[in-house]
Amino acid sequence: MKMNRDLATALASYPLLIPRLYNYLRLGILPLLDIAEAVPQFGKVLDVGCGYGLLDIYLAKTSSQRYVIGSELNSKRVRVAKQAACGIENVEFVQEDLLRGQHVGDINCAILVDLLHHISYERQQALIAAIWEALAVGGTLIVKDMDDRPAFKYYINLVHDKLMTGFDKLSFISAGKLRANLAARGFVVHSCRTLPHPFYAHYLLTCKKADSNLSSRDVVHLQEVEG
Ligand SMILES: C[S@@+](CC[C@H](N)C(=O)[O-])C[C@H]1O[C@@H](n2cnc3c(N)ncnc32)[C@H](O)[C@@H]1O
């Protein structure tokens, strides 16, 4: 597990034992510092499906030029996150569903960490469209999700998520498929890479909202330049 002093401080800000323990165990799986490295140092950051908000507290603590919004459907998680963030000026937690369109063009960076495979393919498409609307032109979208290869890692995560969610339906989207979906929506994909873990097939994708005045030929050209 990668750890630094700021992350240890963020972890310690959870007063209740269960969320603190959950976060600690989660860090054994989630490469949080690799995700955080991809986030711009300044601007308005929206983490959709933020859970207990550990990433957001870490992001807020490590740059005062960021304003971080953790958005979450589950009211209990929002309550715990608010408690942990008490006294930190540049982070807030809200109970909301991004699909209701609360943010329009004012977000500089949106983050989705292990959210997509927990929602249906239809909702994934709707969420990507809502994020497009929420982002400012040139804004960044960062997605950390689970790939379907190699098969043994896919099955480990499948069993893990089935047990954690009480056998909810899961809709995994591979890195390749997500990349194609985002490109079709007009995002310019900057990087898409595997984050090493012995048991989990993490991938991290970053892309930018292109100017909608660009022609589709310009966007395709940008995609090619960005590789
Ligand atoms: C697997 S958890 C991941 C939590 C956190 N990102 C992490 O990595 O620890 C997915 C979270 O997304 C939330 N969620 C699902 N759909 C959402 C939506 N439309 N808007 C906000 N949160 C949502 C769920 O309540 C859940 O807490």
Side-chain angles (χ1 to χ4, degrees):
M1 177 199 306
K2 282 192 200 169
M3 179 66 73
N4 64 25
R5 188 177 294 178
D6 288 318
L7 185 52
T9 314
L11 258 180
S13 60
Y14 287 79
L16 298 175
L17 181 65
I18 301 287
R20 196 188 288 194
L21 193 62
Y22 172 91
N23 277 334
Y24 192 78
L25 295 175
R26 179 99 177 99
L27 285 177
I29 297 171
L30 184 70
L32 186 144
L33 294 179
D34 292 298
I35 301 167
E37 248 175 47
V39 180
Q41 289 293 321
F42 54 87
K44 213 169 180 182
V45 177
L46 176 69
D47 179 11
V48 185
C50 65
Y52 289 127
L54 179 64
L55 173 64
D56 310 302
I57 290 176
Y58 176 80
L59 290 173
K61 275 180 177 287
T62 47
S63 172
S64 59
Q65 290 176 291
R66 291 183 183 127
Y67 187 82
V68 186
I69 304 166
S71 140
E72 171 57 58
L73 285 180
N74 182 313
S75 59
K76 191 172 149 235
R77 291 182 174 189
V78 173
R79 217 170 33 245
V80 169
K82 279 184 173 171
Q83 228 176 4
C86 184
I88 309 172
E89 304 262 293
N90 59 331
V91 65
E92 69 171 298
F93 291 97
V94 286
Q95 187 191 0
E96 66 176 16
D97 184 343
L98 186 73
L99 294 175
R100 299 225 177 96
Q102 297 91 328
H103 306 275
V104 183
D106 62 338
I107 300 296
N108 303 105
C109 175
I111 308 175
L112 302 176
V113 177
D114 289 336
L115 169 59
L116 289 180
H117 66 270
H118 286 281
I119 60 178
S120 66
Y121 292 118
E122 293 72 32
R123 271 181 85 83
Q124 289 176 9
Q125 293 310 315
L127 195 61
I128 289 170
I131 285 171
W132 177 272
E133 293 305 323
L135 280 174
V137 172
T140 305
L141 167 63
I142 299 171
V143 183
K144 203 306 275 160
D145 220 282
M146 296 291 189
D147 220 336
D148 55 4
R149 293 280 183 280
F152 85 94
K153 291 188 181 180
Y154 166 76
Y155 283 112
I156 287 174
N157 188 55
L158 183 68
V159 171
H160 171 132
D161 277 338
K162 286 283 180 190
L163 293 175
M164 290 297 286
T165 62
F167 291 84
D168 273 0
K169 187 172 184 300
L170 300 167
S171 309
F172 287 90
I173 179 161
S174 68
K177 196 163 176 203
L178 179 63
R179 192 184 174 129
N181 280 359
L182 291 169
R185 186 69 192 76
F187 283 99
V188 177
V189 178
H190 280 228
S191 73
C192 185
R193 65 189 174 99
T194 299
L195 299 177
H197 191 284
F199 305 117
Y200 291 86
H202 298 294
Y203 67 83
L204 183 70
L205 183 151
T206 64
C207 59
K208 279 191 189 290
K209 174 177 172 172
D211 186 339
S212 51
N213 291 326
L214 289 179
S215 70
S216 50
R217 226 177 56 197
D218 292 336
V219 172
V220 170
H221 176 67
L222 274 175
Q223 315 266 18
E224 285 167 1
V225 170
E226 298 293 345

